[in-house]
Amino acid sequence: MVVAIARTVHRHVEVDGVRVFYRESVPDRPDAPVLLLLHGFPSGSHQFRRLIDALGTQYRLIAPDYPGFGHTETPDDFVYTFDHLADIIEGFVTRLGLTRFAMYVFDFGAPVGFRLATRHPEWTAGLVVQNGNAYEQGLSDGARDFIALTPDAPGSEEAIRGLLTLPGTRGQYEGGTSVPELVAPDGWTLDQHFLDLPGRKEAQIALAFDYHTNVERYPQWQAWLREHTPPALITWGRNDPFFPEAGAHAYLADLPDAELHIFDTGHFALEEKLPEIAPLIADFLDRTWK
């Protein structure tokens, strides 16, 4: 019996004073399709460990930690905005010499990834979208209220800090799942460890107050989708309290040929539905890479 398990390397690369941590699979063939994995809040590249194990022998999967997340080391004076996160990931891609890749965009990975896509359309070979929003239809009432928070409004910072606690982090993993027992506690435990490091909560507060810039760019990203029509696989947890199912269907207005799969799970869909989603990604890469 042959068991295929990916070899994964763990490295750092310097980008504009930021020591970016990333994990990367070493596939069996040098010309394997490349998939850039862009993680969400409040997680890091570790959220893709099982996906890398599942697909990394056949595909080159690369997952960086953004500034303010995971193992990436950031200067004390780093300014946390989504534009700046995209700047660092753009530099990261350049340092690795990547010139063509598909992107897996999830949660915060969508605003980072779509900034990369609009800056460098030639880089994008395809999109795997998982609960990564680019349409106002995909914002729940709770998400709209959160995005509307401003630094000068009383109670705004306290509302954000409430999400940065262990119950808040755990709730993002278990909320909306069909079988909570399938969700390993390691994810939210590790996320909370990183959130509790010095300066990390302040970084998340700054990004929360900057989130409105993403919504303001939705029309630009939608125009990019219409113009470039990248191959797209959309997988979505329908019970996501932040980005409801309507956000998945909204992509079809601009990408009518996109492949859409809705799963009865929550925000971190891979945690519960990896056995269903991983084969879809493999098939998508096989069909669209050439």
Side-chain angles (χ1 to χ4, degrees), residues 13-186:
V13 63
E14 293 282 339
V15 180
D16 295 338
V18 176
R19 191 166 183 254
V20 179
F21 171 85
Y22 68 103
R23 57 191 83 221
E24 176 181 357
S25 66
V26 182
D28 295 337
R29 54 194 179 96
D31 61 341
V34 181
L35 181 62
L36 180 66
L37 303 168
L38 297 175
H39 68 79
F41 162 86
S43 197
S45 62
H46 69 86
Q47 76 171 78
F48 296 114
R49 287 177 296 180
R50 294 175 64 219
L51 181 66
I52 292 172
D53 284 344
L55 299 183
T57 61
Q58 297 299 312
Y59 311 98
R60 185 184 178 193
L61 275 59
I62 304 169
D65 289 342
Y66 313 140
F69 295 79
H71 297 285
T72 287
E73 301 170 15
T74 310
D76 292 340
D77 60 352
F78 188 88
V79 177
Y80 289 93
T81 66
F82 282 91
D83 278 344
H84 207 179
L85 295 191
D87 292 342
I88 298 301
I89 299 304
E90 180 182 11
F92 167 79
V93 167
T94 301
R95 287 293 305 274
L96 264 61
L98 304 178
T99 57
R100 184 171 181 266
F101 48 86
M103 284 193 295
Y104 186 117
V105 295
F106 163 65
D107 188 50
F108 275 20
V112 172
F114 283 125
R115 279 172 169 82
L116 292 187
T118 54
R119 294 177 188 181
H120 298 279
E122 72 280 3
W123 285 357
T124 306
L127 293 173
V128 179
V129 181
Q130 188 256 296
N131 294 72
N133 201 42
Y135 296 84
E136 292 211 24
Q137 300 96 305
L139 297 174
S140 68
D141 290 341
R144 293 175 189 273
D145 291 342
F146 187 82
I147 294 166
L149 295 174
T150 58
D152 57 345
S156 291
E157 183 171 323
E158 290 75 9
I160 297 167
R161 286 187 181 274
L163 271 182
L164 308 180
T165 62
L166 182 59
T169 303
R170 179 173 181 173
Q172 292 195 62
Y173 276 80
E174 293 186 316
T177 57
S178 299
V179 185
E181 293 86 352
L182 292 175
V183 181
D186 311 274

Side-chain angles (χ1 to χ4, degrees), residues 201-262:
K201 287 187 173 67
E202 288 70 26
Q204 298 304 327
I205 291 168
L207 289 170
F209 286 137
D210 189 59
Y211 199 91
H212 68 92
T213 64
N214 301 325
V215 180
E216 292 161 4
R217 295 196 185 193
Y218 283 177
Q220 178 185 350
W221 300 343
Q222 294 160 19
W224 180 87
L225 292 170
R226 288 193 299 273
E227 178 182 355
H228 295 279
T229 59
L233 167 67
I234 303 167
T235 67
W236 208 275
R238 63 159 43 100
N239 304 320
D240 188 331
F242 303 102
F243 302 143
E245 182 179 342
H249 295 279
Y251 278 93
L252 299 181
D254 297 313
L255 297 175
D257 295 328
E259 182 180 342
L260 174 63
H261 299 267
I262 305 297

